[in-house]
Amino acid sequence: MVFMRAIVVSAPGGPENLDWREVPDPEPGPGEVLVEVAATAVNRGDISQRQGHYPPPPGASEYLGLECSGRIVALGPGTEDSGHRVGDEVCALLSGGGYAELVAVPVGQVLPVPAGVGLVEAAALPEVACTVWANVFLTAGLRAGEALLVHGGASGIGTFAIQAARAFGARVLTTAGSEAKLERCRRLGADVAVNYRSEDFAARVREETGGRGVDVVLDIMGGSYLDANLRSLAVGGRLVVIGLMGGRRAELDLGRMLVKRLSVHAATLRSRPLEEKAAIVTQVAEQVWPLVEKGTIRPVVDRVLPLSRAAEAHRVLEASEHVGKILLVTDPQHSP
């Protein structure tokens, strides 16, 4: 049996339960390619899985990691005509397995590394690009001339959403928790940046939009923000909830929704069928990658650490000490 190294969750709990150890190599199944991982990124979903709250979908790798970049080292059955070749530099959307030296990836979730983006840096892109495209543009239907409110504008999702919405002609309002983070959001293209610790963001949104509200809200908080999010929306507005950092439950004012013709969507990306994820990845390659290659949208990387120091990266993410993405590399020479 051949072995690689991976981060293993020894038991549900804190970052101290992340172990860097030898495990059996994965084998690419039908419709999969095997990627030698150069880098992966830390996401909130990894924190939830480590804590025992977010198990991988059936058939997915048990290891953490929802995206990666690297090189294809083997083609599974049925992928010979996919256009991918051994040696190709790629990045990929994963259902799990990125915190390892090798990962088997459904071929429909593999993307080329955009021109002008380094191989390690490319690991910051797949999850945020697919999440923002699927939720802001496909589900919520954000259009040029509309206004978007992004919560957590300094996060990986937030930094990408700000840039993408601006690139497609929308006005962007965002929230963050410090002046330094607010300034980073403004530099990325946010028209309005609100400190959620010291301001009522719903009141500020109404003020900045002349009482109209925004057309779309991208929310990572869930229950604690539900009422304020609805108050922030314009007539015909759309709320998309992609995280539950503020709780799972809240009271929904149906009267406000009826009067303003509002819609509320809640979605995850990880558990979607392979065909649906492949369709999203294809659209990202067609619609978003050209903007990345032009430099209109750039990955925002806070720091790069060796994969063996995943516990440290988790502590940084949980403390919200970062702006953008935290990357983990399999080769320590690629980290400071």
Side-chain angles (χ1 to χ4, degrees):
M1 183 175 291
V2 182
F3 290 89
M4 66 173 182
R5 289 175 298 175
I7 292 292
V8 176
V9 181
S10 59
E16 66 277 4
N17 290 353
L18 298 179
D19 294 334
W20 180 231
R21 66 172 70 160
E22 285 193 339
V23 298
D25 280 5
E27 294 284 341
E32 294 181 335
V33 298
L34 189 65
V35 174
E36 181 182 54
V37 176
T40 186
V42 183
N43 291 286
R44 291 283 175 185
D46 302 329
I47 305 296
S48 295
Q49 183 174 336
R50 188 204 72 216
Q51 295 170 336
H53 306 315
Y54 192 37
S61 171
E62 65 187 85
Y63 308 123
L64 306 178
L66 300 176
E67 58 194 326
C68 75
S69 61
R71 295 177 179 84
I72 295 176
V73 293
L75 301 176
T79 64
E80 297 83 2
D81 297 326
S82 65
H84 297 291
R85 297 289 180 266
V86 171
D88 285 353
E89 292 191 346
V90 297
C91 53
L93 178 71
L94 308 175
S95 297
Y99 286 29
E101 292 178 321
L102 294 166
V103 62
V105 186
V107 71
Q109 293 168 218
V110 176
L111 287 151
V113 173
V117 176
L119 182 59
V120 167
E121 190 181 26
L125 288 171
E127 194 270 343
V128 294
C130 292
T131 297
V132 170
W133 183 256
N135 290 287
V136 173
F137 295 97
L138 297 183
T139 298
L142 183 71
R143 299 181 293 273
E146 292 190 323
L148 168 70
L149 171 61
V150 181
H151 289 301
S155 67
I157 292 287
T159 54
F160 193 93
I162 291 169
Q163 295 179 83
R166 280 299 299 269
F168 283 96
R171 186 184 185 208
V172 182
L173 298 82
T174 191
T175 62
S178 72
E179 184 51 45
K181 289 185 177 182
L182 295 172
E183 181 54 31
R184 289 291 297 275
C185 292
R186 294 185 191 102
R187 282 160 43 193
L188 288 169
D191 299 280
V192 178
V194 182
N195 189 327
Y196 66 83
R197 299 183 190 277
S198 59
E199 295 185 76
D200 178 343
F201 73 80
R204 181 74 182 278
V205 165
R206 304 293 295 181
E207 176 188 341
E208 295 287 348
T209 59
R212 177 182 179 276
V214 295
D215 301 283
V216 176
V217 176
L218 182 63
D219 178 50
I220 58 173
M221 295 303 294
S224 64
Y225 272 23
L226 180 59
D227 183 67
N229 281 332
L230 296 182
R231 288 188 283 114
S232 299
L233 285 169
V235 172
R238 294 87 73 192
L239 166 62
V240 185
V241 180
I242 60 170
L244 300 172
M245 294 172 61
R248 301 164 60 93
R249 299 180 184 277
E251 186 173 292
L252 183 63
D253 186 341
L254 293 176
R256 178 179 287 120
M257 292 189 66
L258 285 169
V259 170
K260 296 174 68 176
R261 304 191 299 279
L262 305 180
S263 58
V264 177
H265 307 267
T268 63
L269 187 59
R270 187 183 196 185
S271 60
R272 298 191 191 203
L274 291 180
E275 296 80 7
E276 192 172 331
K277 285 191 277 192
I280 292 168
V281 167
T282 296
Q283 291 188 42
V284 166
E286 294 173 349
Q287 302 294 329
V288 180
W289 255 219
L291 296 171
V292 175
E293 294 182 340
K294 291 177 184 176
T296 306
I297 300 174
R298 300 298 298 175
V300 178
V301 177
D302 184 87
R303 68 193 71 189
V304 180
L305 297 171
L307 184 52
S308 59
R309 290 166 59 186
E312 177 183 342
H314 276 222
R315 292 187 183 99
V316 171
L317 187 73
E318 289 183 276
S320 295
E321 296 173 354
H322 63 296
V323 173
K325 302 285 284 194
I326 302 168
L327 301 186
L328 299 170
V329 292
T330 54
D331 183 353
Q333 293 183 358
H334 290 151
S335 61

